[in-house]
Amino acid sequence: MFGWDSYFASFMLALINKDLAYANAVEITKAITTDGFIPNFQAPFDRVSWDRSQPPIGSTVILEMYKRFGDKWLLEEVYDELLRWNRWWANNRDVDGYLAWGSTRGHIQAAMYESGLDNSPMYDGVAFDKNRNVMLLADVGLMSFYIMDCNSMVEIAMILGKEDEAKEITKRAQKYKNKLETLWDEETGIFLNRRLDNGEKSYRLSPTNFYPMIAKACTQKQAQTMMEKHYFNPNEFHGEFIMPSIARNDSGFKDNNYWRGRIWAPMNFLVYMGMRNYNLPEAKADLIKKSNALLMKSWKEDGSVYENYNAVSGIGSDVKKSDGFYHWGALLTFMSFIENGYLDKKVEK
């Protein structure tokens, strides 16, 4: 079981199979390590990624399931683990007030595995600090994930009557929100990753640069600017098939290899979740429509739901590293179910 893969599976399963949704979410949360993080993966015979975690989306997914089904016991079952994980990021991935991906394995590739974006061009040439076990990059995506996690944890804590812990988490959320705001680049019109070894801005753009929207950490004006300058820019993210995992004008895009230029449903989905927090009707409708069309293209042609897709042709089978039936490909259409209110329909206990 992979970390964020399993949480995404739970989120989608909440639409049709409550028991299986709960089972996935609880199982991966209970896989928490003695160090206090949900691992990158858990496998039989005690095989666990002891050195790294993965994007912290667990609390947000579990909170959404609680809102749908109303089972307070679910929150109680996983609260302690989710709180430990929330504290772990701040204690182990903080560099000068910013958050950075890392791994105690001592090299940058393992830190890239923690990001979930195994070979993203964003991380080409980034230095790794072996003393602190982190890549030296203030990561817009990670900081956005973490603030979203904090926001969800505060809501869960309040539901459970844990007001002191809610205040503790709120303080951390504000701290990192303040730091994330410093990564906004007015000239470029988007949030930029920043090197922590030399202070240089990274102009390599990925859908993760839009993630401050999931954290509710940008203004309406900033969100609109990102849509106008970058989302609708055909040289970067727009086109018949969207969104590529690195901008089309990036040198890594042409590689068409895994996270180097291909379309991944989780990225589209997270950008959509962010758009929901702002008044962006045109961009949101466009993303939903084109994401749905991309999945339906392969579904109608050969009954496949691909792990990732070619951002030029929309084909999933053109490379070997694209599973032909991988669950999170369905996130491309899941956003339309959310948009149409299916998850808002309360389910009787």
Side-chain angles (χ1 to χ4, degrees), residues 28-98:
I28 193 61
T29 306
K30 294 297 182 179
I32 192 167
T33 67
T34 55
D35 289 334
F37 62 87
I38 309 301
N40 177 175
F41 69 83
Q42 176 199 45
F45 309 110
D46 296 320
R47 291 188 296 122
V48 174
S49 56
W50 51 266
D51 64 302
R52 62 187 183 271
S53 188
Q54 267 203 327
I57 66 169
S59 62
T60 300
V61 169
I62 287 168
L63 179 60
E64 288 295 327
M65 292 198 293
Y66 167 76
K67 291 177 179 178
R68 176 161 169 75
F69 299 112
D71 290 320
K72 190 174 179 180
W73 69 261
L74 175 66
L75 303 183
E76 295 170 338
E77 179 69 24
V78 296
Y79 178 77
D80 288 345
E81 289 84 1
L82 292 175
L83 179 60
R84 286 182 65 202
W85 195 21
N86 180 272
R87 289 169 172 167
W88 178 85
W89 288 103
N91 291 333
N92 293 274
R93 296 293 184 258
D94 184 297
V95 181
D96 301 329
Y98 293 99

Side-chain angles (χ1 to χ4, degrees), residues 167-178:
K167 291 177 183 178
E168 168 203 328
I169 302 166
T170 298
K171 186 176 180 180
R172 279 199 296 278
Q174 189 60 53
K175 170 189 173 180
Y176 290 109
K177 181 175 182 290
N178 292 343

Side-chain angles (χ1 to χ4, degrees), residues 24-204:
N24 274 267
V26 171
E27 180 67 22
I28 193 61
T29 306
K30 294 297 182 179
I32 192 167
T33 67
T34 55
D35 289 334
F37 62 87
I38 309 301
N40 177 175
F41 69 83
Q42 176 199 45
F45 309 110
D46 296 320
R47 291 188 296 122
V48 174
S49 56
W50 51 266
D51 64 302
R52 62 187 183 271
S53 188
Q54 267 203 327
I57 66 169
S59 62
T60 300
V61 169
I62 287 168
L63 179 60
E64 288 295 327
M65 292 198 293
Y66 167 76
K67 291 177 179 178
R68 176 161 169 75
F69 299 112
D71 290 320
K72 190 174 179 180
W73 69 261
L74 175 66
L75 303 183
E76 295 170 338
E77 179 69 24
V78 296
Y79 178 77
D80 288 345
E81 289 84 1
L82 292 175
L83 179 60
R84 286 182 65 202
W85 195 21
N86 180 272
R87 289 169 172 167
W88 178 85
W89 288 103
N91 291 333
N92 293 274
R93 296 293 184 258
D94 184 297
V95 181
D96 301 329
Y98 293 99
L99 294 176
W101 301 109
S103 165
T104 54
R105 188 176 290 185
H107 59 78
I108 194 167
Q109 181 58 69
M112 291 166 69
Y113 289 147
E114 180 170 86
S115 77
L117 315 180
D118 303 7
N119 66 340
S120 173
M122 286 190 295
Y123 307 131
D124 289 359
V126 174
F128 188 87
D129 186 330
K130 292 186 177 181
N131 294 318
R132 287 182 283 189
N133 296 314
V134 293
M135 66 167 76
L136 292 176
L137 186 75
D139 195 281
V140 170
L142 174 54
M143 295 185 71
S144 300
F145 277 129
Y146 185 71
I147 297 165
M148 178 179 71
D149 178 54
C150 286
N151 293 341
S152 296
M153 286 300 299
V154 167
E155 195 167 343
I156 292 172
M158 292 303 294
I159 292 169
L160 298 180
K162 299 179 182 294
E163 295 184 7
D164 289 344
E165 289 170 354
K167 291 177 183 178
E168 168 203 328
I169 302 166
T170 298
K171 186 176 180 180
R172 279 199 296 278
Q174 189 60 53
K175 170 189 173 180
Y176 290 109
K177 181 175 182 290
N178 292 343
K179 295 296 282 188
L180 179 57
E181 288 172 352
T182 69
L183 299 179
W184 172 259
D185 186 69
E186 190 65 34
E187 182 178 356
T188 310
I190 199 167
F191 291 82
L192 296 177
N193 296 335
R194 183 181 299 166
R195 294 281 294 264
L196 293 169
D197 52 344
N198 57 23
E200 292 181 357
K201 300 173 184 178
S202 173
Y203 293 94
R204 309 196 82 157

